[in-house]
Amino acid sequence: MSGRLCANAVPRDEVKQRFETLAARDYVGQQQAWNYVRFAMEAYTGLAPRATCRDWVLHFTGPSGSGKSFLAELVANAAFDTWEEEPYSMPLLGLASTACVVAGALTSALGPLGMGVGCTAGVAGANAAWNAYTSTFRAPRPFPSQCGVIQHKFSRSSGVDDVLLWEYSVAKELLRDPAAIIVVDDINRLKDSDAFERFGRLLCGLGGNSIPEFRSGPGDSQLVPASQALFLLTSDLELDTSDHISCEMQEFDEMLDNVRTQSTQFWQRRALHVPDWWEQLPIVPFRELCADELSQATQKYLYRQCEMASQLVRADLQRRSTWAIGRQRVLIWTGNVRFGIRSLSTIDAYITEQVAQSKLVGGRQGAWVVSDLHQLVMRPALQTLTVRNERGDNLITEGGHHVHVTWPNYTTITYTADVCLEITPSFDVGLPRVRFSRMLHMCH
């Protein structure tokens, strides 16, 4: 598609199949919800025409922690892969002199023939280094930091000014890729009618059948159309337990009826008029996760963190590789990141305890506990994985390795250490402790 600037954009005819693969691998429960999304994506991918805001907006609503934002994340990752092109960082100064040194050494050893061989080697090496210098590698950029994706969460005091700032950020992303995925969490937190009306006009325009346009800034700034984009909204309309969507509720129509009841009560208690655009959007209802589903979701979460850790390690080694002539050094890691039964049991027990202690409406679902744990302890642990000590080594490079050297001084260092993701209870601060360690025999 013309005008697409994000190199990580997945071809449109592959997006739906990619979403189905990601959902089948990583998602748990809410089968009705992701089936609905699977068919709704036909309009986004061009398999079906787009005529109204129902074709470019989906509204996920249900209890907190039931998987709404994660399903939106999978949609975004299906359309835009989680990497960015990062250039190799390699100084090329001295290429010519290095080639001359090689040529000079061969001349001394072999005479005029050595000069020819040396010049050939120098030129070939310089070309190899230049090719490496002008190329890139794919560094991980997890949701929502990848190109083509933007995620915004409204606070309880968000008004018209906050909606305007959101509009400008959407325009900026649409300029990068017109088929951007726009995720907006907690739209129910907008504070007044003006904010809701402004937000709805941006999504649906007048009458609900005009292409959304977003200003790139205040005043008479550029209008950026969103005819190819997809907007994913989330909300939690559950105000008490009387209309609770329990895990036993499996029928889509029954869940939809409950959500409509919640919606009516929501607008009545807010003492606000129901905006026209609210009624136009397709609603995708979510129920709470059952206990066994939450346990499965936790296990899949740990697998994803192991995968992310592996990606971070390999990207770090690529950044540390050098391609200067005469001292080329390529770093490779053949190990894996794993977790053991004890770590899984620890995080399972923690989530169960937090859910049992929760006093919040909608707190029974538990996936929100995983989200908090990720932000507070998992992400910091991932960041320490490639931190170097005073000797310039990290957890991987201090482990076992072997070196292979070929002429002219092209060195490959292969690191072989396996790594454990360890999660242990913490009785002083409440949150479990997360760290990575080299595997000795097995991961616990």
Side-chain angles (χ1 to χ4, degrees):
M1 179 176 296
S2 61
R4 307 197 70 175
L5 301 180
C6 294
N8 60 318
V10 175
R12 297 297 286 274
D13 59 351
E14 299 176 12
V15 172
K16 183 181 176 184
Q17 179 60 52
R18 181 177 165 85
F19 168 75
E20 294 172 354
T21 301
L22 291 175
R25 186 190 71 179
D26 296 334
Y27 207 66
V28 175
Q30 313 295 0
Q31 185 72 35
Q32 299 90 339
W34 72 268
N35 271 339
Y36 187 99
V37 173
R38 181 164 58 94
F39 290 108
M41 289 183 69
E42 292 185 357
Y44 171 72
T45 57
L47 298 176
R50 308 179 92 186
T52 70
C53 63
R54 293 181 61 88
D55 298 322
W56 53 75
V57 184
L58 289 175
H59 180 190
F60 299 164
T61 186
S64 297
S66 54
K68 303 183 300 292
S69 294
F70 184 50
L71 188 61
E73 176 180 337
L74 293 182
V75 172
N77 292 347
F80 294 91
D81 214 340
T82 52
W83 53 261
E84 68 174 353
E85 297 284 2
E86 183 175 318
Y88 286 99
S89 178
M90 294 162 292
L92 294 185
L93 297 177
L95 288 177
S97 60
T98 304
C100 288
V101 169
V102 174
L106 290 175
T107 300
S108 300
L110 303 177
L113 176 61
M115 173 63 77
V117 174
C119 288
T120 301
V123 171
N127 287 337
W130 176 253
N131 289 335
Y133 179 76
T134 56
S135 66
T136 58
F137 68 94
R138 293 182 175 181
R141 292 288 289 183
F143 172 89
S145 63
Q146 74 263 48
C147 184
V149 174
I150 181 173
Q151 182 185 39
H152 184 82
K153 182 184 288 290
F154 283 119
S155 67
R156 296 192 183 278
S157 59
S158 296
V160 172
D161 290 341
D162 299 285
V163 175
L164 291 177
L165 292 176
W166 172 75
E167 176 186 2
Y168 305 152
S169 64
V170 170
K172 179 180 178 182
E173 198 62 42
L174 290 172
L175 288 172
R176 290 214 295 174
D177 198 297
I181 302 293
I182 316 296
V183 180
V184 191
D185 288 321
D186 298 328
I187 60 170
N188 53 295
R189 293 186 175 185
L190 291 171
K191 71 177 183 179
D192 53 33
S193 295
D194 291 340
F196 277 108
E197 287 295 339
R198 179 61 187 173
F199 183 74
R201 284 200 304 271
L202 286 171
L203 292 178
C204 296
L206 298 176
N209 57 0
S210 57
I211 294 175
E213 291 183 318
F214 291 78
R215 294 180 301 163
S216 57
D220 297 328
S221 54
Q222 180 181 3
L223 283 174
V224 185
S227 58
Q228 302 173 27
L230 180 62
F231 295 82
L232 303 174
L233 317 181
T234 74
S235 68
D236 178 7
L237 304 178
E238 185 176 323
L239 301 175
D240 53 46
T241 58
S242 62
D243 54 2
H244 177 55
I245 307 178
S246 68
C247 78
E248 291 82 11
M249 193 178 297
Q250 300 289 336
E251 295 297 326
F252 187 87
D253 290 339
E254 186 181 4
M255 289 191 290
L256 196 57
D257 288 341
N258 274 54
V259 166
R260 287 169 177 158
T261 300
Q262 291 177 353
S263 180
T264 299
Q265 294 176 351
F266 169 79
W267 291 107
Q268 289 175 348
R269 295 195 185 187
R270 293 288 300 271
L272 296 174
H273 172 71
V274 182
D276 291 337
W277 63 270
W278 184 273
E279 302 289 346
Q280 297 175 29
L281 300 184
I283 293 178
V284 185
F286 285 66
R287 57 171 175 79
E288 73 173 4
L289 294 177
C290 299
D292 60 327
E293 292 174 331
L294 183 56
S295 182
Q296 293 175 46
T298 302
Q299 186 174 21
K300 290 190 175 187
Y301 166 76
L302 291 182
Y303 279 122
R304 292 196 302 276
Q305 300 318 301
C306 290
E307 181 181 355
M308 173 54 64
S310 298
Q311 293 175 5
L312 292 173
V313 167
R314 291 189 169 91
D316 178 68
L317 292 178
Q318 286 183 295
R319 294 186 188 100
R320 297 174 65 175
S321 297
T322 58
W323 296 84
I325 302 303
R327 56 184 183 89
Q328 295 160 304
R329 189 182 67 158
V330 178
L331 309 183
I332 299 173
W333 178 55
T334 59
N336 294 285
V337 181
R338 299 183 174 92
F339 65 89
I341 297 297
R342 189 182 303 171
S343 293
L344 177 59
S345 299
T346 298
I347 192 172
D348 257 343
Y350 171 76
I351 292 171
T352 300
E353 180 183 7
Q354 292 300 305
V355 170
Q357 294 177 355
S358 175
K359 304 297 183 183
L360 299 174
V361 174
R364 296 172 299 280
Q365 289 64 251
W368 60 270
V369 181
V370 178
S371 177
D372 285 349
L373 183 143
H374 180 77
Q375 297 296 329
L376 296 175
V377 294
M378 185 62 73
R379 287 185 64 181
L382 287 168
Q383 292 169 358
T384 64
L385 185 57
T386 56
V387 172
R388 306 179 196 180
N389 58 25
E390 64 278 1
R391 297 185 302 276
D393 286 319
N394 59 30
L395 184 66
I396 302 299
T397 59
E398 280 187 325
H401 68 275
H402 56 81
V403 180
H404 180 66
V405 181
T406 59
W407 187 88
N409 200 21
Y410 184 105
T411 303
T412 301
I413 302 177
T414 302
Y415 299 97
T416 58
D418 287 321
V419 174
C420 292
L421 167 56
E422 296 183 348
I423 303 176
T424 55
S426 175
F427 301 103
D428 52 346
V429 296
L431 286 166
R433 288 194 174 93
V434 177
R435 76 184 189 105
F436 292 92
S437 64
R438 280 193 301 278
M439 182 191 300
L440 298 180
H441 304 290
M442 62 182 295
C443 295
H444 300 287

